[in-house]
Amino acid sequence: MTAALQNDYPPEGGWTTDDLDALPEDGHRRELLDGVLIVSPSPTRIHQTIAMRLGVALEEECPDDYDVTQAVEVRINRTRSFIPDVLVTTSTAAAREPSRYEAHEVVLAVEIVSPSTRSIDRVLKPTLYAQAGIPFYWRIEVEDDGLVVHTYRIDAVNEVYLETGRWTKFVDTGEPFPVNLSIARITPRRR
């Protein structure tokens, strides 16, 4: 398994979550898409600041039934595993002190779009998160004139997300719990 990583060839039959477990803890962000290993570059300061500030803001409003965390793996199946930038899970799942969650334990997955992950965050991940039954998805876009937060709710019958808002000043939604968040609060300072 780690030999496959060292010689750039995947294991026979593709990567699985078992292979991920065998890889060293070296700080690389590794995700799986249908047995293909995706290794992302380190996030930027802006990306990390948004994630940190959003996590703190959500934690302050989070009811006891839920838990807020950052960048914890979500295992969808043996060949699909993603790491949302921020996620809300059930408090029962969080009580296990997990290093990864199952999709049914996740209530909200948030992705902050980076230039290198644009198509993955806009198209691929929402499609697969919806198919996995994660009830809510937020996508944060960094634009020239500020941040835009797109919020979605699952249509469980069709396994797709329906947009519930496009927020540029405040995120004011009751899902997955009441959130009234100033976009300025999660916007990084310009240097």
Side-chain angles (χ1 to χ4, degrees), residues 71-92:
V72 177
E73 179 184 1
V74 176
R75 294 247 168 123
I76 295 175
N77 60 37
R78 278 187 44 81
T79 62
R80 288 185 185 159
S81 175
F82 296 114
I83 303 172
D85 295 313
V86 176
L87 59 159
V88 175
T89 66
T90 66
S91 58
T92 302

Side-chain angles (χ1 to χ4, degrees), residues 2 6 16 20 27 45 52 61 63 70 72 104 107 110-111 116 131 143 150-151 161-162 166 169 178 182 184:
T2 54
Q6 292 169 356
T16 68
L20 281 182
R45 179 194 70 83
M52 174 187 65
E61 299 188 33
Q70 290 181 301
V72 177
H104 72 273
V107 178
V110 181
E111 296 291 350
S116 64
Q131 288 175 0
E143 297 185 356
H150 300 265
T151 58
Y161 286 118
L162 304 173
R166 182 182 181 278
K169 301 289 183 208
S182 166

Side-chain angles (χ1 to χ4, degrees), residues 13-142:
W15 291 90
T16 68
T17 52
D18 292 337
D19 297 318
L20 281 182
D21 292 341
L23 293 173
E25 291 288 330
D26 57 7
H28 289 92
R29 185 179 179 130
R30 296 183 180 102
E31 297 176 298
L32 278 182
L33 172 60
D34 298 334
V36 175
L37 184 66
I38 301 170
V39 181
S40 301
S42 294
T44 64
R45 179 194 70 83
I46 289 174
H47 182 281
Q48 292 302 86
T49 300
I50 295 167
M52 174 187 65
R53 290 181 177 194
L54 178 62
V56 168
L58 289 175
E59 179 67 25
E60 288 174 1
E61 299 188 33
C62 185
D64 291 342
D65 295 355
Y66 300 113
D67 185 73
V68 179
T69 192
Q70 290 181 301
V72 177
E73 179 184 1
V74 176
R75 294 247 168 123
I76 295 175
N77 60 37
R78 278 187 44 81
T79 62
R80 288 185 185 159
S81 175
F82 296 114
I83 303 172
D85 295 313
V86 176
L87 59 159
V88 175
T89 66
T90 66
S91 58
T92 302
R96 293 188 292 107
E97 297 294 329
S99 61
R100 61 183 158 267
Y101 290 100
E102 299 298 320
H104 72 273
E105 298 172 314
V106 179
V107 178
L108 166 66
V110 181
E111 296 291 350
I112 301 161
V113 177
S114 298
S116 64
T117 63
R118 192 171 288 122
S119 295
I120 292 171
D121 295 338
R122 288 179 179 166
V123 180
L124 184 66
K125 283 187 177 181
T127 299
L128 299 178
Y129 287 156
Q131 288 175 0
I134 296 173
F136 301 97
Y137 177 71
W138 290 9
R139 186 183 81 241
I140 300 177
E141 300 271 352
V142 180

Side-chain angles (χ1 to χ4, degrees), residues 131-167:
Q131 288 175 0
I134 296 173
F136 301 97
Y137 177 71
W138 290 9
R139 186 183 81 241
I140 300 177
E141 300 271 352
V142 180
E143 297 185 356
D144 291 338
D145 56 344
L147 301 181
V148 179
V149 179
H150 300 265
T151 58
Y152 301 87
R153 175 188 330 112
I154 196 169
D155 170 350
V157 172
N158 295 307
E159 296 182 329
V160 297
Y161 286 118
L162 304 173
E163 188 169 36
T164 58
R166 182 182 181 278
W167 312 93

